[in-house]
Amino acid sequence: MKTKLITLALVVSVVALVRAAEEEGFRPLFNGKDTTGWQLRKADGHNSWKVENGVLKNIVNKGEHGTDLITDQKFQNFTVKYEYTVPDDSNSGFYLRGRYEIQILGDHASGKATKTGNGSLYNFKAPDKFVSKSGNEWQAVEATIIGNKITVIQNGVKIHDNVEITKGTGGELDNKYDQPGPIFLQGDHGTVSFRNMRIKELK
């Protein structure tokens, strides 16, 4: 039974990857098998990332610190789509160009949007609506950055609409704001899982 369930999970993951690749202009950021195309932010840092059944997982136990993960490739203007699940009270982040963090936080119980809560442009702007799901549910994000303006749709709701962002949000890789940068997954704070990450570069 367990083998059948694992096989089914793998088939579902492969189908999801194929569908992602078929979206017009989008290509996978994550191959569902390993971290090819990604690197640790600090080469000698503790690697708490692993891939299981098509899901990229960062497992950070209490008292530990993991290491951030960044793409080898850099991007300028793009739309990125991804799904994540985060345990209640756990903390992570998805950075555009390695400088602008879309906060990931297990804050469903709080019931309110804040500048440091789930879906926020971290410490810069709260989401327009609170759309966080509980820790056992997958959440979906579509984020577009063109120049210095960001639009974010989370769980089917637009929570940031063409927001002009004038500075890094903390923890950024550098301050070269007019330059391309990588996708950066925060890995030093808490447990988080990602799947179906794909990107479409824009002019």
Side-chain angles (χ1 to χ4, degrees):
M1 182 66 179
K2 185 177 180 180
T3 301
K4 289 182 179 179
L5 288 173
I6 291 173
T7 301
L8 179 60
L10 286 170
V11 169
V12 170
S13 296
V14 169
V15 170
L17 284 170
V18 170
R19 287 177 177 171
E22 289 176 346
E23 289 181 280
E24 186 177 356
F26 283 85
R27 59 183 178 83
L29 279 170
F30 165 56
N31 65 19
K33 299 179 294 183
D34 55 38
T35 53
T36 297
W38 296 78
Q39 59 183 286
L40 294 177
R41 182 176 182 177
K42 297 179 181 179
D44 60 349
H46 171 60
N47 187 0
S48 51
W49 297 91
K50 63 180 180 179
V51 178
E52 289 185 348
N53 300 326
V55 176
L56 177 62
K57 297 182 177 182
N58 184 53
I59 307 297
V60 180
N61 298 314
K62 189 173 182 179
E64 291 183 349
H65 282 279
T67 304
D68 303 327
L69 198 65
I70 62 176
T71 56
D72 297 339
Q73 188 175 350
K74 295 181 179 181
F75 307 94
Q76 184 69 16
N77 299 321
F78 58 86
T79 295
V80 64
K81 297 182 180 183
Y82 58 96
E83 297 172 32
Y84 71 91
T85 183
V86 60
D88 293 334
D89 299 321
S90 191
N91 185 336
S92 183
F94 191 103
Y95 281 71
L96 310 178
R97 295 189 199 140
R99 304 177 187 113
Y100 312 112
E101 180 185 4
I102 301 173
Q103 170 75 312
I104 293 175
L105 187 66
D107 66 353
H108 178 260
S110 75
K112 60 182 180 181
T114 69
K115 283 181 25 175
T116 58
N118 193 46
S120 66
L121 298 176
Y122 185 75
N123 210 30
F124 184 82
K125 179 185 174 293
D128 292 336
K129 295 182 180 179
F130 182 80
V131 296
S132 293
K133 294 185 178 182
S134 62
N136 62 349
E137 295 184 85
W138 284 96
Q139 307 194 54
V141 174
E142 176 182 321
T144 299
I145 181 168
I146 299 176
N148 66 342
K149 294 185 178 180
I150 296 173
T151 296
V152 179
I153 298 170
Q154 182 167 329
N155 300 327
V157 178
K158 186 177 287 186
I159 59 172
H160 300 291
D161 189 4
N162 215 30
V163 176
E164 184 175 6
I165 193 159
T166 56
K167 60 182 180 179
T169 55
E172 61 267 25
L173 297 175
D174 58 44
N175 60 0
K176 299 176 182 178
Y177 302 124
D178 61 340
Q179 298 297 311
I183 299 299
F184 158 9
L185 307 179
Q186 192 175 64
D188 63 337
H189 284 3
T191 294
V192 66
S193 297
F194 294 95
R195 69 182 184 186
N196 296 337
M197 290 187 288
R198 60 263 198 216
I199 194 165
K200 178 179 182 179
E201 295 186 76
L202 306 172
K203 294 182 179 180

